Structure formats: C-alpha cells, structure tokens
Amino acid sequence: MALRGGLPTESGFVGVEGARLVEEALHSGCSIQAVLFSESGERHHERLAPLIDRPEMGFPTLRTTDRLFEGLADTEHPQGVAALVKPRETSFDDLVNGADSACAPLLVVLAGVQDPGNVGTILRTAAAFGATGAATAASGVSGTASPYSPKALRASAGAALHLPILAGVSLAILQTQFKIAGIRTLASSVRENPGSPLPSSGARFSASPSVGAGLAPPASGNRGAPLAPWEVDWCQPIALLVGNEGAGLPEEIERSADARIRIPMASRVESLNAAAAAAVVFYEAARQRNAASPRL
Amino acid sequence: MALRGGLPTESGFVGVEGARLVEEALHSGCSIQAVLFSESGERHHERLAPLIDRPEMGFPTLRTTDRLFEGLADTEHPQGVAALVKPRETSFDDLVNGADSACAPLLVVLAGVQDPGNVGTILRTAAAFGATGAATAASGVSGTASPYSPKALRASAGAALHLPILAGVSLAILQTQFKIAGIRTLASSVRENPGSPLPSSGARFSASPSVGAGLAPPASGNRGAPLAPWEVDWCQPIALLVGNEGAGLPEEIERSADARIRIPMASRVESLNAAAAAAVVFYEAARQRNAASPRL
C-alpha cells in the first residue's frame, strides 16, 4: 500500500492523505478499499468515526506505527490518516449526460497542464463555480499531471474525487465527440511567465466587437478576436479547454474550437495565474447560470 | 544602499531588484535615485538602456562586483540589476480625484493583509482590472505588509509602483473620509484556511435576494445577506475593503460599510485564495465598467 506517487495501484486505487481529504473521500461516494490510522493519527478517529463506522461501508480500518506511516506518506509531517480510494470511473456519456438535468454540461478540459498544483486548483475552482465534469488530455508539448497525485489532490481540496473526470483521453477525439454531442468548445490558455501574457489589446481595456448572445457558429471558425468571458453565453453546453502553462493549446485545437476566450486586462499588468484565470472564467459561467435560473 | 528588507530608507527610497521590476520602475514615473548593475548584471543593460540613458532621467548608473551585489540583494540568485525608487506620494484627494475623469474611483483597501505575497497579488490583480488606487491600513489583529517589500513588489509585478497607494492610514478615519467623499464601501475578506470559508449558503448556489441596481443606502446598515459581486453596481465610486487572511475585517468596520460582499460558490468546496477572490471581484467591476463605457 504505497501512498507515495499518487498513481493508481493495479486495482485502480489511489492513496489519499490527511484528515480533511479522507473526509472528502468518504463523502464522495467513491469506493474505499481501506482507511489507515497511525498511532498519532488516532486523534482524527473521532472526527471520521461517523463516516467510517457504518455497516454499509464495508472496508477495513487498519492501524500502523507512526514510523511505518511516515515511510508510506507523501507529506513531510503526515497527519497519520490515509485512505485507499478508487476514483469514480467516468465515460464520455457520463460527462455529457451525468450533469444535473436542470443545467447544461459545463466542462473543463485540461490539455497539457503540467503542474499538479495547477491541475488541482483548476478542478477545485471549476467545481466551486458549478462545473459538472472535467477531462484530462495530453497536448502537443506535454501530458497533464494526474488529478490523483498527492499534490493535485491537496490543491483540489477533494474536488478531484467529487467531480466526474475522464482521464487521459485524446484531445482530437474529445473535440470531435464534443461537436457530435452539441457541446461548444472554448479555447483558453494558462500562461504563467511574463514573456507570454494572455492576449490583450493595446487599449486600457480591449473594445471587443459584440458577438450577440452566443458563440460564432462552428462552421465559421474562430479567426476573429477572442471573446471576453461576458461575451459568451454560458447557459449552453460548454467545454473550456485549458492549455499548457507555457505553450498554451496546440494551434490546430485552438483553430477548430468554436471560439477563443481571453480575459481583458489593463495593458501594463498582463497575466493572471492559473487559479485566478480559472476563477474569473467559471465565475462568469456561474453568474450567468445563476441569473438564468435563480433556483440553481 | 541596502536593498534587503524593502522598507523605505530615511529619504523614502525603496530597493527594486531584477530586470523586469527595474523596467517597471523606470516606466512608472516614480523618482529614481540610482540604478545599480553588478558585473554579471551588465547583460541587462542593453534592454534597459533606452530608459536609463536619457538626459532627463538625471540619476547615476552605478557598477558593483557580483559579490557585493549578492550581499545587498534580497533574492538568492539575483539578476544583478537593481534600482532605488521613491514610491509616488499619494494623498486621500489623489485617490479620490486622481482617477481618469472618465471613470469613477475603484479603490482597494488592504486592512490587516499580513502576507506580502497576498498584498502584491491583490494590487496586481486590482490594477489589471482597472482599479484606480489603493490604501493600506492596520486591522484589529495585524498591520498590512508593506507593498514595497521585495516579496510584495515581485508579486505585484510592479503594480505597487504604478498604482497610487495611500499607505498606513487609520481604517476608521479612511471610512469616514469615504463617506464624506461619496465613495461606497464594500466589506470583503480573504480567508485562506479551510476552517474559515467565505460565507456561503447551504444551497448549491446561494439564492441571494435581489437588491436592484445599487447598494443599500448607508443609513440602513448592512445587516442583510451579503451581495454577490453581480448584485453590486460597480460603475459608482467604490472602495473594496479586504481584511486579514484569518480574522477578516474588524466587526465594526464590516457593520459600518455600505454592504458586504460574498462570492457565491458550491457548498462543498468553499474557499478561494486571495488572488482568485480578488480576480473575481475586480473582473466583475471591469465587466460592468467595460459594458457601460465601451471606449474605456
């Protein structure tokens, strides 16, 4: 039972560490293989007992020494509580149809996001603003870090276990499936270094052309100016594509998306980090969906 | 010429390190006392030469050894270029009247924000979305980190030098001045630890009562539910108050503000970090101001 590394075991289980994450895992409805307490981790037992000690849970609670636990743990000062959890298996159909029937799918696709902290933060932010699912894919330059690595799980505050995630798919196939399923794709990118700011016009704020209430039809391509978040109709079924931290999305993916999106900013201070950019975009989606359906 | 520490010298100058920040300082219009290159920092001279070698600049360019520079520098691997810069002096009147006459003041008040990285990030984000000025104040529990410390300056990406900042004022006096000047105050807080999430209702998204286009009149107090960012009319003159990372704003300040603000989020994943929360709120202000005045 190696917690280190965050990769699924052969049976598909991943290690989850710390009282808060274990609590999230127990709440998530994911299958649990075992919960493990070290001697000093016993102090968290009371908090977790209502979730663990139910007959229907049907998994063993194991005890270990502090020393053995430290050898298994990924963190430097482990809290002494961990669980082996099987992330939910998600199909493309789950992503598209699994959402609450009251709201259209709102998906985030991580394509080549290398940093596990960014992966976790984007999932957490997306979930906080009502995203209904996620997918991870490789881009031309890199793969996407596993949402189940210890760092990504911590940064996601458990959202990686709650949100349906379709992992390790081909970006080109996914984009085709989105088109067939009637889900609009929006190309965005996370650029962190100052040398590659998010696109922005020379003006204080860009005066983007109005595009009406929706996106340009897919057939027309997206050669026009990128849209500001408020120019997108977020009540439709939408997948936001987020690219590699340095290189962004592959060019052909950007070209074949229904539209590109950009956060308009003052010209001198040009970039937001991954967390802030994701927060702004999903906030806009939540704002529109909340306004359209106040009982959401 | 001690760069370390980030506190103004007796003459009010602060040290600014690294090619990008020195460039920002030279662009900012702030008074420069000197620019310093180490031997290995000379490679940045060409990039900065157009800004330095103008007769009207009137400050000396100094040379030093790498060893001496490392002793002065705050960073572990200094780039070998630094400047002594006098941050602009800002009065309350500058904050209120200094903004572009085309747009109402949009201010951020940091009250007890302890982490210099948060101070810098909030200033950078505010500036990116068109804030016209900032103020720093102590709260009941702590002071606010200096915007000119090396860490805050780096996190601000130079915004601390561009934005008018009224530093170290009394929060109570500032709030009174805002009332007299007709600037609405919005109480927000930055809570980072999971134990103290931003207020959120039990519903998936809170169904906040509609409050029309503006804020409640000051006389009525703000005992009602906090407003979602989209329920605030950001085209009016507004100051957003941001509190301590753990404790938030002092209660009496929250009570006497014109309204409280909260970012509605799904119930299970309840907090945003300081950067993401600031990005969402100032994005909403920019969205409304951009829509109201497309030529901004």
Side-chain angles (χ1 to χ4, degrees):
Chain A
M1 175 162 153
L3 300 177
R4 210 183 281 273
L7 293 174
T9 62
E10 275 173 35
S11 55
F13 285 86
V14 298
V16 163
E17 259 187 81
R20 193 178 169 216
L21 275 184
V22 170
E23 193 175 9
E24 289 293 326
L26 292 165
H27 273 300
S28 69
C30 294
S31 169
I32 310 278
Q33 193 173 51
V35 173
L36 177 69
F37 289 95
S38 73
E39 291 149 348
S40 60
E42 272 299 327
R43 68 185 189 282
H44 299 294
H45 196 183
E46 199 180 342
R47 169 177 171 185
L48 299 172
L51 297 165
I52 291 175
D53 301 340
R54 286 182 296 179
E56 73 271 26
M57 292 310 255
F59 52 78
T61 301
L62 310 172
R63 319 276 157 177
T64 179
T65 61
D66 283 351
R67 196 161 157 203
L68 185 59
F69 194 97
E70 274 169 33
L72 292 168
D74 181 74
T75 44
E76 211 165 318
H77 303 287
Q79 296 183 348
V81 52
L84 269 185
V85 181
K86 191 166 202 162
R88 64 181 76 230
E89 282 180 23
T90 300
S91 68
F92 183 81
D93 284 348
D94 295 336
L95 275 195
V96 176
N97 305 319
D100 200 326
S101 61
C103 56
L106 175 60
L107 309 172
V108 59
V109 178
L110 306 176
V113 180
Q114 279 180 289
D115 179 72
N118 283 343
V119 168
T121 304
I122 293 171
L123 292 176
R124 170 189 183 174
T125 308
F129 288 112
T132 60
T136 64
S139 71
V141 296
S142 77
T144 287
S146 166
Y148 309 116
S149 72
K151 202 178 161 195
L153 269 171
R154 278 197 301 278
S156 88
L161 300 173
H162 288 281
L163 209 59
I165 302 176
L166 181 58
V169 291
S170 147
L171 196 51
I173 291 176
L174 196 61
Q175 213 172 18
T176 309
Q177 286 178 302
F178 283 143
K179 279 198 202 303
I180 293 167
I183 292 179
R184 297 305 186 86
T185 51
L186 267 182
S188 157
S189 58
V190 181
R191 293 174 202 234
E192 294 215 311
N193 53 330
S196 54
L198 290 168
S200 86
S201 79
R204 182 93 190 273
F205 280 104
S206 63
S208 305
S210 170
V211 292
L215 304 177
S220 75
N222 61 39
R223 309 298 165 88
L227 306 180
W230 61 77
E231 294 175 322
V232 173
D233 174 4
W234 290 92
C235 295
Q236 14 173 23
I238 282 195
L240 179 77
L241 313 178
V242 179
N244 176 263
E245 288 91 341
L249 289 165
E251 211 188 311
E252 68 276 16
I253 296 293
E254 258 196 52
R255 261 205 315 271
S256 58
D258 290 315
R260 288 180 299 137
I261 188 170
R262 165 214 54 194
I263 300 172
M265 286 187 287
S267 56
R268 286 216 59 76
V269 185
E270 282 156 332
S271 67
L272 289 177
N273 67 23
V280 163
V281 171
F282 285 104
Y283 160 81
E284 178 64 31
R287 184 186 73 80
Q288 291 186 17
R289 289 177 172 224
N290 209 24
S293 136
R295 296 186 53 83
L296 187 66
Chain B
M1 175 161 156
L3 301 177
R4 210 183 282 273
L7 294 175
T9 62
E10 274 174 37
S11 54
F13 285 85
V14 296
V16 163
E17 259 187 82
R20 191 175 171 217
L21 275 183
V22 169
E23 194 176 6
E24 288 296 326
L26 292 165
H27 273 299
S28 69
C30 294
S31 169
I32 309 279
Q33 192 174 51
V35 173
L36 177 69
F37 288 95
S38 73
E39 290 150 350
S40 60
E42 271 298 326
R43 68 187 187 282
H44 299 295
H45 195 181
E46 198 178 342
R47 171 178 170 184
L48 298 172
L51 297 164
I52 292 175
D53 300 340
R54 286 182 297 181
E56 73 271 25
M57 294 308 258
F59 52 77
T61 301
L62 310 174
R63 318 278 156 173
T64 177
T65 61
D66 284 351
R67 201 165 152 198
L68 186 60
F69 195 97
E70 275 167 34
L72 291 169
D74 180 73
T75 45
E76 211 166 317
H77 302 288
Q79 296 184 347
V81 52
L84 269 185
V85 181
K86 191 165 204 162
R88 63 182 75 229
E89 282 180 23
T90 300
S91 68
F92 183 81
D93 284 349
D94 295 336
L95 275 195
V96 177
N97 304 321
D100 202 324
S101 60
C103 57
L106 175 60
L107 308 173
V108 59
V109 179
L110 306 176
V113 180
Q114 278 180 289
D115 179 72
N118 282 343
V119 168
T121 304
I122 294 171
L123 292 176
R124 171 189 182 173
T125 309
F129 287 112
T132 59
T136 65
S139 72
V141 295
S142 76
T144 287
S146 165
Y148 309 115
S149 73
K151 202 178 162 197
L153 268 171
R154 279 197 300 277
S156 87
L161 300 173
H162 288 281
L163 209 59
I165 302 176
L166 180 59
V169 291
S170 148
L171 197 50
I173 291 176
L174 196 60
Q175 214 171 17
T176 309
Q177 287 179 302
F178 283 143
K179 279 199 202 301
I180 294 168
I183 293 180
R184 297 303 188 87
T185 51
L186 268 183
S188 157
S189 57
V190 180
R191 293 173 203 235
E192 294 217 312
N193 52 328
S196 53
L198 289 169
S200 85
S201 80
R204 182 95 192 272
F205 280 104
S206 61
S208 306
S210 169
V211 293
L215 303 177
S220 74
N222 61 41
R223 307 298 164 90
L227 307 181
W230 62 77
E231 294 175 321
V232 173
D233 174 4
W234 290 92
C235 296
Q236 14 173 21
I238 281 194
L240 178 78
L241 312 179
V242 179
N244 177 264
E245 287 91 340
L249 288 165
E251 212 187 311
E252 69 276 16
I253 295 294
E254 260 198 49
R255 260 206 315 273
S256 57
D258 290 314
R260 287 180 301 136
I261 188 170
R262 165 215 53 195
I263 300 172
M265 285 188 287
S267 56
R268 285 216 61 76
V269 187
E270 282 156 333
S271 67
L272 289 177
N273 67 24
V280 163
V281 171
F282 284 105
Y283 160 81
E284 178 62 31
R287 184 187 72 82
Q288 291 186 16
R289 289 180 172 222
N290 208 24
S293 136
R295 296 185 53 83
L296 187 64

